[in-house]
Amino acid sequence: AQKITQTQPGMFVQEKEAVTLDCTYDTSDPSYGLFWYKQPSSGEMIFLIYQGSYDQQNATEGRYSLNFQKARKSANLVISASQLGDSAMYFCAMREDDSNYQLIWGAGTKLIIKP
Amino acid sequence: GAVVSQHPSWVICKSGTSVKIECRSLDFQATTMFWYRQFPKQSLMLMATSNEGSKATYEQGVEKDKFLINHASLTLSTLTVTSAHPEDSSFYICSATVAGGSYNEQFFGPGTRLTVL
């Protein structure tokens, strides 16, 4: 069974609209962390936001917020006021705390922002 | 802070030759470094995990003798693709992490695009 599922292979969104990228996960480890990374066409992986399994509040970083629903095992990324520069691949990843810092990756979502 | 460099950015080589890719943490000492491979339009595939001074731990299906990893210091890891063939053409990305960091997140290098003719 897949541990990280991103169900949206691609999305088109109008500039300035908000966008939600879905991510669900599966783990039996009570302590874990969830990450979102952005990969532009240049290939670099850019860390966006982190949510720990014990964090009480949803993480926020500027225009990025993480809608963490622990009972549903979902960690959706919300980008507010999208910009053309947000066009990229977005990956959700999970680290289980007994994993030697390894990340389990989702398949990614290609986001295209339309002017 | 937390900058990881990779060299070279891209390389074209002939089939049968070996290629070395360097991964450096520029402003921190990395507890652990990771090597990934990424095919077009796909996610990252972990190849191996390496800790300074010890042998790398390879993922299932990754040939140790073909993809040699040396983690000589807390700031440098190298991946050598030996006797490269066209099917080894791919985007190779390294990352580094430091124990006790804010989120223990992985910091990524910019990647190396390898083309084997």
Side-chain angles (χ1 to χ4, degrees):
Chain A
Q2 290 210 6
K3 287 205 163 189
I4 295 285
T5 303
Q6 293 181 253
T7 58
Q8 307 150 311
M11 288 186 73
F12 283 89
V13 173
Q14 200 69 38
E15 189 181 8
K16 299 181 184 176
E17 290 183 350
V19 56
T20 298
L21 304 180
D22 296 341
C23 173
T24 58
Y25 60 92
D26 184 27
T27 182
S28 56
D29 193 331
S31 180
Y32 53 90
L34 296 157
F35 299 80
W36 278 92
Y37 282 87
K38 172 184 179 182
Q39 187 179 39
S41 56
S42 56
E44 68 207 278
M45 297 291 288
I46 302 168
F47 166 71
L48 295 178
I49 198 166
Y50 168 83
Q51 181 84 43
S53 58
Y54 293 119
D55 293 343
Q56 295 295 315
Q57 292 188 328
N58 287 343
T60 60
E61 291 284 351
R63 293 187 299 113
Y64 304 108
S65 60
L66 202 150
N67 183 358
F68 182 45
Q69 298 189 35
K70 194 170 182 177
R72 294 185 179 182
K73 293 188 175 178
S74 77
N76 298 339
L77 176 70
V78 180
I79 306 174
S80 63
S82 58
Q83 303 171 355
L84 296 179
D86 294 333
S87 295
M89 282 291 290
Y90 288 80
F91 292 97
C92 178
M94 176 175 66
R95 184 192 64 232
E96 293 165 319
D97 274 10
D98 61 350
S99 66
N100 190 25
Y101 304 110
Q102 287 184 3
L103 291 174
I104 303 166
W105 295 87
T109 296
K110 186 172 179 64
L111 176 64
I112 297 174
I113 308 298
K114 300 182 293 182
Chain B
V3 178
V4 176
S5 70
Q6 255 182 268
H7 178 80
S9 301
W10 58 270
V11 57
I12 301 172
C13 69
K14 291 184 178 179
S15 188
T17 61
S18 295
V19 174
K20 181 186 282 189
I21 302 170
E22 291 188 350
C23 176
R24 293 181 185 270
S25 56
L26 297 184
D27 52 1
F28 67 100
Q29 293 187 323
T31 314
T32 306
M33 286 185 165
F34 303 87
W35 286 96
Y36 294 90
R37 184 173 181 177
Q38 186 180 30
F39 292 105
K41 300 183 180 180
Q42 292 189 23
S43 188
L44 278 70
M45 183 184 76
L46 180 65
M47 299 175 68
T49 302
S50 90
N51 296 291
E52 183 265 341
S54 60
K55 289 184 178 180
T57 301
Y58 289 81
E59 294 300 300
Q60 195 171 11
V62 178
E63 298 176 59
K64 302 177 184 180
D65 294 333
K66 180 161 192 63
F67 299 100
L68 300 178
I69 291 171
N70 186 331
H71 196 156
S73 74
L74 284 171
T75 60
L76 173 64
S77 177
T78 60
L79 168 68
T80 301
V81 183
T82 62
S83 186
H85 290 284
E87 58 265 30
D88 298 324
S89 298
S90 190
F91 190 57
Y92 293 88
I93 312 176
C94 73
S95 71
T97 191
V98 55
S102 305
Y103 308 127
N104 291 333
E105 70 265 40
Q106 293 185 19
F107 300 99
F108 284 83
T112 297
R113 202 164 297 280
L114 170 64
T115 301
V116 184
L117 302 177

